[in-house]
Amino acid sequence: MTWSLANSRNDESSKVRWELVPYMRGRALDIGCGAYKVFPHFIGIDNGHHWGMQGVDVNAEASDLSLFASQSCDLVYSSHLLEHVPYDDVPKVLDEWFRVTKQNGYVILYLPDSAEYPKCGSEFANRDHKFDVTYENIVEALEKTKYSWDIEDFQVRHDTDEYSLFFVVKKL
């Protein structure tokens, strides 16, 4: 389904919440959680830029998780955040997320699909978006990280009120 004001609820995580269950174990981060963490037991990380600090456990930038030790998390999840990072910086941000993820843990990304979402600079586009997300440019960014990984699941989510791509990336 193509993006519209009617199907954008500012709680995109609710659309994929149950897809995360097979990967949930141990410590989990929700980076860029906004006011609504995907699950209450996830550690919500946000800088408060869009929604303030309601629902946030840790005030931090997505690019700096220095509060967390290397390999201290089983799952890092982020919904509709990475597109707010300049594309050239995305591999560095992913490196930081992989750093805190344990071996055989997961980095799960839910991102607006440029095939369904208004392109940067067009009418109705989010002015904070820095690049248009495609499968190819996310894989390219992953390939520029210093970690080994495998895409365990990928879904184009265009049913009902969705206009996004869903990546489950396992850290090897």
Side-chain angles (χ1 to χ4, degrees):
M1 166 177 263
T2 301
W3 176 89
S4 70
L5 285 173
N7 65 16
S8 177
R9 300 187 308 232
N10 294 327
D11 182 17
E12 296 302 315
S13 288
S14 67
K15 299 173 184 179
V16 293
R17 172 177 289 125
W18 303 114
E19 298 291 332
L20 303 179
V21 171
Y23 309 101
M24 288 171 33
R25 65 183 190 287
R27 179 187 248 180
L29 304 182
D30 183 346
I31 302 177
C33 65
Y36 309 101
K37 290 189 294 189
V38 67
F39 283 102
H41 68 280
F42 280 39
I43 299 169
I45 299 170
D46 203 291
N47 65 8
H49 173 72
H50 287 292
W51 311 109
M53 297 307 291
Q54 176 187 347
V56 176
D57 299 309
V58 176
N59 181 356
E61 295 295 326
S63 60
D64 180 9
L65 302 178
S66 57
L67 180 64
F68 298 93
S70 297
Q71 297 194 61
S72 62
C73 300
D74 298 283
L75 169 66
V76 170
Y77 167 73
S78 183
S79 170
H80 288 250
L81 168 84
L82 209 52
E83 69 277 9
H84 294 264
V85 174
Y87 184 72
D88 289 342
D89 296 337
V90 170
K92 289 181 240 160
V93 171
L94 290 171
D95 269 335
E96 180 67 349
W97 296 1
F98 278 126
R99 180 189 67 76
V100 301
T101 304
K102 293 178 182 176
Q103 185 176 350
N104 296 317
Y106 297 94
V107 173
I108 299 180
L109 308 171
Y110 187 56
L111 302 163
D113 183 359
S114 69
E116 301 293 323
Y117 193 84
K119 305 260 188 299
C120 289
S122 68
E123 187 177 16
F124 301 117
N126 185 322
R127 284 183 239 127
D128 286 339
H129 287 191
K130 306 295 189 230
F131 70 99
D132 297 314
V133 176
T134 65
Y135 173 85
E136 292 78 16
N137 63 16
I138 296 302
V139 169
E140 178 182 292
L142 286 164
E143 288 172 344
K144 291 179 180 177
T145 67
K146 57 186 170 191
Y147 293 92
S148 297
W149 51 271
D150 186 40
I151 295 178
E152 193 159 296
D153 188 15
F154 170 73
Q155 300 173 27
V156 175
R157 310 256 323 174
H158 293 171
D159 296 336
T160 60
D161 61 349
E162 290 184 80
Y163 42 85
S164 301
L165 303 176
F166 181 77
F167 294 82
V168 177
V169 184
K170 185 175 187 175
K171 179 181 174 184
L172 303 176

